[in-house]
Amino acid sequence: MKNRECVHFKDCGACTFRLAFPKVQTKKKQEYMQRLFADYKVAPMVEMEDPYFYRNKVLRTFKLVGKQRFVSGIYEKGTHWVIPIDQCLIEDEGAKAIQRTIYSLAKQYKWEIYDEDTGQGLLRHALVRIGKASGEASVTMIIKGDVLPRQDDFTKALTKRHPQIKSVYVNANKRKTKVVIEGRLNQIYGKGPIKDQLLGLDILISGDSFYQVNHSQAEKLYTKVMELLDIKEDEVILDAYCGIGTMALLAAQRGARSLGVDNNVSALADARQMKKINKLHKVDFIEEDATVFMEKRAKSGGKIDKLILDPPRTGTTEAFIEAALSLAPEKIVYVSCNPARLKEELPLFEKGYKVEGIYPLDLFPFTGHVECIALL
């Protein structure tokens, strides 16, 4: 592979490892996982063969740099200073091209740029998502107001230049907050979410649903989860913090009676639609906080044969773990994007379970993040 170097590496800070030396990160991440989980069996890191241009989700923030000038870029690490980004070696090429067009049209239409300090202005962020297998794209414009000025002209110009765009949303985020998307999305172009394919599933991705940013590594991740579960026909499998329900659907595809639980309304709408289009009848999705659901299930004595959980970076709750111990599924497969937090929680699970192994995957090449699976 030809060596590559990033022109923004020193300023940006999003990547931890130099992009010209992809093998270095694998060694360093493996060493980190071995140190962190020194008391457990740690499998070799599942690395990405070609770890470039993998991010299917590309966010840009708009910032004034003068009375008449603004930039489109990403925050410098640890600050809210926006660095203009045009070339990035880990972002999808098509998504970057769409972002360049959005920036150009924002200048053409003279949209007022949001000022974080004063809370005044309109345009805050633009988010582009790509279905890696399908090639379809969606755009979400995050603004302070209710309506994007000249939105019909904008969608017409944008989709003419990039016909792969099938959905355009507007998110009215009026709060003075660092949260990018807040509240409901208004679809101003297209009909419903974009599509993708993953391990034989037809996937639907709305503008704000959680979806793994690295398609090829996500397939390896979910393949490993299914392998560790070793699903038997009609076993009851719970997918907690299920998002759009990918793992619950994959489990049903393999013969399980699966349940997906999440409190994200938009994600569950996609999950239920995916159940229909994939013709998977032995799966149901429940809109509820995962801990609340587990506590209710434990009190009612409901059966769970095997449990999957994939919580946010903050991890799960002690109440969730106590309920899991009470329900006593045969296996627990914990998918974590924060190994340090997982390490803190494992002793709580070990009141009733043995940790059989830790399986790390490089889902975010060149960053300091590692995804891992714990089998209990």
Side-chain angles (χ1 to χ4, degrees):
M1 180 189 294
K2 183 180 178 181
N3 278 354
R4 298 164 173 172
E5 193 58 275
C6 175
V7 296
H8 300 293
F9 181 75
K10 291 182 180 180
D11 301 321
C12 169
C15 289
T16 304
F17 300 95
R18 287 182 61 189
L19 284 87
F21 305 104
K23 292 298 179 183
V24 172
Q25 63 180 322
T26 305
K27 180 174 181 290
K28 294 293 185 183
K29 289 183 178 184
Q30 185 73 40
E31 290 172 352
Y32 164 70
M33 294 296 288
Q34 294 283 169
R35 288 194 306 271
L36 183 63
F37 294 101
D39 297 330
Y40 304 103
K41 180 182 176 182
V42 180
M45 180 77 59
V46 177
E47 58 186 314
M48 190 175 182
E49 295 172 8
D50 184 10
Y52 299 97
F53 309 115
Y54 63 85
R55 279 194 66 91
N56 58 35
K57 180 179 180 181
V58 175
L59 177 71
R60 291 289 181 264
T61 296
F62 298 92
K63 189 174 183 67
L64 286 166
V65 290
K67 289 184 178 180
Q68 302 295 327
R69 185 169 173 264
F70 66 92
V71 296
S72 164
I74 67 173
Y75 291 121
E76 183 179 1
K77 188 176 183 180
T79 77
H80 263 230
W81 180 255
V82 174
I83 300 171
I85 295 287
D86 183 59
Q87 299 298 322
C88 175
L89 293 176
I90 65 171
E91 293 178 338
D92 180 88
E93 295 277 62
K96 284 184 294 190
I98 292 170
Q99 286 285 10
R100 285 192 286 270
T101 301
I102 292 171
Y103 176 62
S104 174
L105 291 172
K107 288 196 295 183
Q108 179 183 328
Y109 298 145
K110 298 181 180 179
W111 284 334
E112 189 180 2
I113 304 303
Y114 179 78
D115 188 320
E116 280 189 334
D117 297 325
T118 66
Q120 301 300 309
L122 177 77
L123 187 58
R124 302 177 70 143
H125 311 278
L127 175 65
V128 177
R129 307 184 79 166
I130 300 288
K132 279 286 192 176
S134 67
E136 294 186 356
S138 75
V139 172
T140 302
M141 304 297 294
I142 298 94
I143 62 174
K144 185 187 176 185
D146 292 308
V147 179
L148 188 67
R150 298 185 63 181
Q151 68 180 28
D152 290 344
D153 293 337
F154 170 69
T155 55
K156 185 177 180 180
L158 188 63
T159 55
K160 182 178 181 181
R161 202 171 302 180
H162 304 282
Q164 72 269 35
I165 296 173
K166 304 301 180 186
S167 300
V168 180
Y169 302 89
V170 171
N171 174 237
N173 185 350
K174 299 179 183 179
R175 294 184 59 193
K176 195 174 180 181
T177 174
K178 295 178 182 178
V179 176
V180 175
I181 294 178
E182 191 163 279
R184 298 183 66 84
L185 300 187
N186 175 31
Q187 187 162 14
I188 62 171
Y189 176 83
K191 295 181 180 179
I194 62 171
K195 297 177 182 177
D196 203 14
Q197 289 83 39
L198 189 147
L199 295 178
L201 283 180
D202 288 323
I203 302 289
L204 299 177
I205 315 165
S206 292
D208 60 346
S209 295
F210 172 78
Y211 187 57
Q212 294 286 2
V213 299
N214 187 331
H215 183 273
S216 65
Q217 290 295 90
E219 289 200 319
K220 295 177 186 177
L221 172 72
Y222 295 139
T223 297
K224 190 65 181 180
V225 169
M226 294 300 124
E227 175 192 318
L228 294 174
L229 284 172
D230 187 23
I231 294 167
K232 306 297 189 296
E233 189 75 23
D234 285 334
E235 282 185 323
V236 178
I237 294 184
L238 174 65
D239 179 7
Y241 308 95
C242 72
I244 62 172
T246 305
M247 288 188 283
L249 291 162
L250 287 170
Q253 191 183 57
R254 287 156 177 76
R257 294 187 177 278
S258 50
L259 290 170
V261 176
D262 206 295
N263 56 8
N264 184 313
V265 177
S266 176
L268 287 183
D270 288 348
R272 291 179 179 123
Q273 188 63 24
M274 285 161 58
K275 171 185 173 178
K276 292 180 182 178
I277 65 174
N278 286 284
K279 299 178 181 178
L280 294 169
H281 307 296
K282 295 196 294 185
V283 57
D284 288 302
F285 294 100
I286 299 164
E287 183 190 333
E288 193 161 39
D289 175 80
T291 296
V292 172
F293 176 86
M294 287 291 284
E295 288 178 317
K296 288 181 180 178
R297 190 85 172 183
K299 287 178 182 176
S300 69
K303 178 185 176 185
I304 296 176
D305 292 308
K306 293 168 184 175
L307 170 65
I308 310 166
L309 67 154
D310 186 4
R313 289 191 61 78
T314 50
T316 189
T317 65
E318 287 192 34
F320 182 102
I321 296 170
E322 289 298 324
L325 293 174
S326 175
L327 286 162
E330 178 190 335
K331 290 182 179 182
I332 298 175
V333 177
Y334 191 144
V335 181
S336 174
C337 60
N338 187 349
R341 179 59 182 159
L342 172 64
K343 172 71 180 299
E344 293 173 357
E345 292 178 347
L346 285 180
L348 300 176
F349 282 102
E350 286 177 301
K351 293 176 183 178
Y353 286 85
K354 178 185 176 183
V355 180
E356 294 288 351
I358 306 292
Y359 302 87
L361 298 93
D362 196 1
L363 224 69
F364 314 98
F366 301 111
T367 76
H369 300 294
V370 180
E371 191 91 358
C372 68
I373 306 166
L375 173 63
L376 299 101

